[in-house]
Amino acid sequence: MKFYPYKRLNRPIGLRVMSVSLRLPDRTRDHLDTSAFATPQRTVALGVAQHEDWLSARIGLSATLPPGATDPDAPWSDLRVLAVLTDGDTNVRTTVELSQDAPDSKEWSGAIEVRRDDHVGRADLAVHAVATVDGVRGRAVTETDVDWTIDTTAEEPLGGLRLDVKQTSFTKSAREWLRPYADAPWIVDASGRLPLVMVNTDVEGFSDLLGGETGGMENKVHELLLSQMATDVWTAVFHSAVGDLEVEPDGSPVFPTDWRGEVLREMLPDVVPGLRAEDALRQVHRRRTGDAGWVELQTRVHYAAVRRAGARQSLANVLRALQQNNREDRP
């Protein structure tokens, strides 16, 4: 937790992406539809239009300040709202000032320009409210609590993990490496272009349960099995991602640019809470390659996996269904 020697707002800024357009070499603009950005994942995918030669992207923003930000008796003056785009890979930082929609309004809007040549993959977009407090200019009074991701190459605004799922008999599969795992209901292979989940059809009825929609208790068990499988997947791919990191000459680890990078950015806030993504990755790398701390971190890794798998909700659904069945069976 950070402590500030002045008064601040205790609630974050709400940030929404309202529009996205690409400037092309002929100076025209391609206004992308809403499929280019996803609010739940807080992600903008600039590759959705499949333009290979776009020059820059203009992203329209709307920010909502929390109550008290614009009150006449607020303990600050000269309030400004700034959108900040930060790229850790290229060390580019772009800042634009947003405009208040109306006097005393909590809504601020504007646009930020993303230049293609300044970025090679992903950049983080945040909004900060700064003001003069106790006579000191430029003090931060609140900010967004979760950054948006601006992905310059992705064709879909996916914030989660993409998987390849296949079903096969482990004892009869042409993949000989599966045969030693004949007793396992599923196996995760995190060595390829995408994480691969192999489902063992030798487990009688398991494949039907995973793929069927029979209703009732079977559906709840189906959800619970999927959440357990997803927990195993998230755990396996996190370990795969941190186990093969490129390292800078100064020893700093580098975020992978494929799905491994997606996994790390998704899970690190729960594995090492309270740190920026780059700092969290450095800490995890130090613990894994150092003398201590890696074993203790496994509880956090498992927690992060469970959260993303939705295990709590799936278990709650099964328990409610069981309680309902018990009530119906009573005379």
Side-chain angles (χ1 to χ4, degrees):
M1 176 181 295
K2 293 182 180 180
F3 295 92
Y4 298 86
Y6 57 90
K7 291 185 178 179
R8 281 173 42 96
L9 293 162
N10 57 10
R11 294 178 60 183
I13 298 173
L15 174 61
R16 298 173 302 283
V17 169
M18 307 302 293
S19 63
V20 179
S21 65
L22 298 179
R23 185 164 66 92
L24 305 179
D26 62 359
R27 305 300 174 181
T28 62
R29 282 198 173 271
D30 185 2
H31 295 271
L32 308 185
D33 61 27
T34 56
S35 65
F37 52 93
T39 299
Q41 291 81 16
R42 294 184 174 90
T43 302
V44 177
L46 297 179
V48 66
Q50 298 185 342
H51 289 295
E52 296 293 335
D53 54 353
W54 60 274
L55 302 177
S56 65
R58 180 177 297 164
I59 300 175
L61 306 174
S62 177
T64 303
L65 271 60
T70 59
D71 287 354
D73 58 349
W76 46 72
S77 60
D78 304 320
L79 182 67
R80 302 170 65 199
V81 179
L82 306 175
V84 182
L85 184 69
T86 306
D87 191 325
D89 293 328
T90 60
N91 292 322
V92 171
R93 184 182 178 93
T94 305
T95 302
V96 298
E97 186 170 356
L98 305 183
S99 300
Q100 194 172 17
D101 290 357
D104 301 325
S105 173
K106 297 182 179 65
E107 302 295 325
W108 299 63
S109 59
I112 193 165
E113 201 79 7
V114 181
R115 292 183 291 272
R116 177 72 175 272
D117 290 342
D118 289 344
H119 306 280
V120 295
R122 290 178 163 195
D124 296 322
L125 178 64
V127 170
H128 302 261
V130 299
T132 299
V133 187
D134 297 334
V136 180
R137 298 178 60 190
R139 281 184 158 174
V141 295
T142 186
E143 56 277 317
T144 46
D145 59 346
V146 181
D147 293 350
W148 273 70
T149 296
I150 311 301
D151 195 319
T152 60
T153 59
E155 296 180 4
E156 294 181 84
L158 298 175
L161 178 65
R162 296 189 292 275
L163 302 173
D164 186 10
V165 181
K166 298 184 183 299
Q167 298 189 25
T168 187
S169 165
F170 282 18
T171 58
K172 301 175 183 177
S173 175
R175 296 179 171 90
E176 294 187 3
W177 62 270
L178 285 173
R179 294 174 187 174
Y181 308 114
D183 293 334
W186 62 79
I187 287 291
V188 181
D189 178 13
S191 63
R193 186 181 60 84
L194 288 177
L196 172 64
V197 182
M198 299 299 302
V199 175
N200 189 0
T201 58
D202 293 333
V203 180
E204 186 175 354
F206 182 50
S207 180
D208 292 338
L209 184 59
L210 286 178
E213 295 290 338
T214 56
M217 179 59 70
E218 288 79 4
N219 265 3
K220 305 307 178 186
V221 176
H222 165 91
E223 293 176 11
L224 187 62
L225 282 171
L226 288 181
S227 70
Q228 179 60 56
M229 183 185 298
T231 299
D232 290 351
V233 170
W234 279 105
T235 303
V237 296
F238 180 86
H239 284 283
S240 174
V242 299
D244 191 26
L245 291 172
E246 293 185 13
V247 180
E248 298 279 12
D250 64 356
S252 299
V254 178
F255 272 102
T257 57
D258 59 3
W259 62 263
R260 294 170 178 83
E262 294 182 19
V263 167
L264 293 174
R265 292 181 186 277
E266 183 78 12
M267 295 183 69
L268 282 173
D270 283 327
V271 176
V272 189
L275 295 181
R276 290 177 55 85
E278 291 77 11
D279 296 332
L281 184 61
R282 279 193 289 269
Q283 184 173 138
V284 169
H285 181 66
R286 283 197 301 268
R287 291 196 184 192
R288 191 186 69 82
T289 59
D291 296 330
W294 180 238
V295 173
E296 290 79 5
L297 202 63
Q298 299 313 301
T299 301
R300 300 292 315 184
V301 174
H302 184 258
Y303 168 70
V306 166
R307 282 197 65 194
R308 274 141 195 83
R312 177 177 177 175
Q313 186 60 50
S314 297
L315 179 60
N317 291 340
V318 169
L319 293 176
R320 280 195 296 269
L322 285 172
Q323 292 168 356
Q324 179 66 29
N325 283 351
N326 289 338
R327 286 194 294 267
E328 293 175 353
D329 291 341
R330 289 173 186 167

